[in-house]
Amino acid sequence: MNAVPLPHHPDPQNDDWAQRAASIDWYTTTEALHQQGNAVLPQLLSAPECAALARLYGDANENTFRSRVVMQRHGFGQGEYRYFSYPLPGVVAGLREALYPHLAPIANQWNAAMGLAVRYPAQHADFIARCHAAGQVRPTPLLLQYGAGDYNCLHQDLYGEHVFPLQVAVLLSEPGRDFTGGELVLTEQRPRMQSRAEVVPLLRGDAVVFAVHHRPVQGTRGPYRVQMRHGVSRLRSGRRHTLGIIFHDAE
């Protein structure tokens, strides 16, 4: 096995990731999240960055990851994923820290609308300190790999008491060239109604922000809470890699 040189945790003086996050159209993103529960961030990563991350799945030093999960062993679907170890690769840590300050105000608005008392600090380090104080110390960012016939059942990424209500997935493979099928599927369960499903089309390098487990929806009598789940439809051919960025850590 050939080890791939890994980027290190971002230099605190390097504000490249913060600048990249700041360049996102957050007004449009916020409106989409409020209206639909998801928002696409076009071309968040470049093609070389996607390729380098995807290669980590099979080529990185074993210390890069803390665990590997074969989904069919647990009834999660078919395919596999690997959770990163701390310290996270620079691109993963950089995105996690840079995106969080823009998402925390949205998360706080959602909790206020749903009557939840929890509020999220402005910086990710402070939220992670809260997780770690509660025993949620294992990192949750992950790489997922699907082959032909693989899929991911609808689920919610909950790993303990402390949950940040938004997460990000970045498609690292090129649809139509690297794989076919394998669409990201989101479902929304409204009270006393049948579930609503949405397929989110992505290109390589695109990211999608979406609700982890629930979000507020404005009704005629005020906001109410809906349950959200996400999954991946069956891959028809090829191989698909995805980077998942979850902002809370796991027990």
Side-chain angles (χ1 to χ4, degrees), residues 34-48:
H34 287 332
Q35 296 299 321
Q36 305 157 17
N38 69 84
V40 175
L41 310 179
Q43 298 301 287
L44 184 63
L45 293 180
S46 68

Side-chain angles (χ1 to χ4, degrees), residues 24 39-45 95 99 168-171 184 200-210 243 245:
I24 293 169
V40 175
L41 310 179
Q43 298 301 287
L44 184 63
L45 293 180
L95 284 175
L99 293 173
V168 175
V170 186
L171 184 60
L184 175 67
V200 182
L202 298 171
L203 300 176
R204 180 178 61 179
D206 287 350
V208 56
V209 187
F210 56 97
L243 168 67
I245 299 177

Side-chain angles (χ1 to χ4, degrees), residues 169-180:
V170 186
L171 184 60
L172 304 177
S173 306
E174 183 67 50
R177 188 195 68 181
D178 298 332
F179 69 96
T180 59

